[in-house]
Amino acid sequence: PTVSPRWVASSTEEPADCESYCKPVKGNLKINMKKYCKKDYAVQVNVLDMETVSEWAKFTVNIVSVYRSRDEKIKRADQFLWINMKDLACKCPKIQITKKYLVMGNTDSVSERLGGLVADKNSLVIQWRDVWTRRLRKFQRKEKKGKCGKA
């Protein structure tokens, strides 16, 4: 069900609603080969700015590194990251301007229509840690050897 922007703006939603809405992925911050392979893209981004467009939050992000890009050729440059206001209101994903994040998600017709990446409650959006660089590069090497089909 789609959520009207008015509902989100005037919502005094109980945290319990967000808890059940976000529950499947909230708090699961481990990055492994299986998760990497299930996502269409994995990028490191620096969040620059945000504006609201209808029921969407449109973040301008600088893509610092591209670790996986299945369908679209995601380039290192400024792009848009779209997050539905319902997801943002519940902080799934939680995202702040000026911080760096690892964003792992899937592309679909919505991301094509909006032009850019779309993150939702099923995406992995976690504050960047430098120790992940080596692990993600290792996943890239394994993917090139055909390991994602087996993960």
Side-chain angles (χ1 to χ4, degrees):
T2 53
V3 179
S4 73
R6 186 178 300 121
W7 183 86
V8 171
S10 64
S11 171
T12 54
E13 203 166 4
E14 294 296 312
D17 293 344
C18 284
E19 191 66 33
S20 61
Y21 179 74
C22 298
K23 202 162 193 89
V25 292
K26 197 167 192 174
N28 194 351
L29 303 180
K30 288 201 162 62
I31 308 163
N32 57 33
M33 190 70 191
K34 190 174 181 179
K35 281 184 192 168
Y36 175 86
C37 290
K38 281 184 174 179
K39 300 299 181 186
D40 292 336
Y41 66 86
V43 293
Q44 178 190 353
V45 302
N46 188 11
V47 182
L48 304 174
D49 199 11
M50 187 211 102
E51 64 178 286
T52 306
V53 179
S54 186
E55 73 263 23
W56 294 92
K58 177 182 171 186
F59 290 90
T60 303
V61 297
N62 178 262
I63 296 183
V64 179
S65 296
V66 178
Y67 296 101
R68 179 173 171 82
S69 174
R70 187 182 293 168
D71 300 325
E72 294 178 39
K73 290 292 173 201
I74 300 169
K75 303 280 187 228
R76 287 176 45 203
D78 287 0
Q79 285 202 27
F80 297 122
L81 174 65
W82 298 84
I83 301 175
N84 190 287
M85 292 302 283
K86 164 78 173 168
D87 295 347
L88 198 63
C90 283
K91 294 186 172 82
C92 56
K94 185 177 180 181
I95 191 164
Q96 294 177 311
I97 294 170
T98 73
K99 303 235 175 184
K100 287 185 181 171
Y101 293 90
L102 169 65
V103 181
M104 292 170 63
N106 292 309
T107 53
D108 57 16
S109 59
V110 175
S111 56
E112 289 171 21
R113 184 172 49 85
L114 292 172
L117 304 173
V118 174
D120 60 21
K121 66 179 184 162
N122 298 312
S123 302
L124 191 67
V125 179
I126 42 183
Q127 203 161 337
W128 179 256
R129 297 180 192 153
D130 288 334
V131 296
W132 289 337
T133 304
R134 284 181 64 203
R135 186 181 308 174
L136 288 159
R137 292 289 178 218
K138 184 172 83 174
F139 293 165
Q140 273 184 315
R141 287 192 298 276
K142 285 184 174 182
E143 180 187 8
K144 283 188 177 127
K145 292 178 184 173
K147 296 274 169 58
C148 268
K150 298 170 188 147

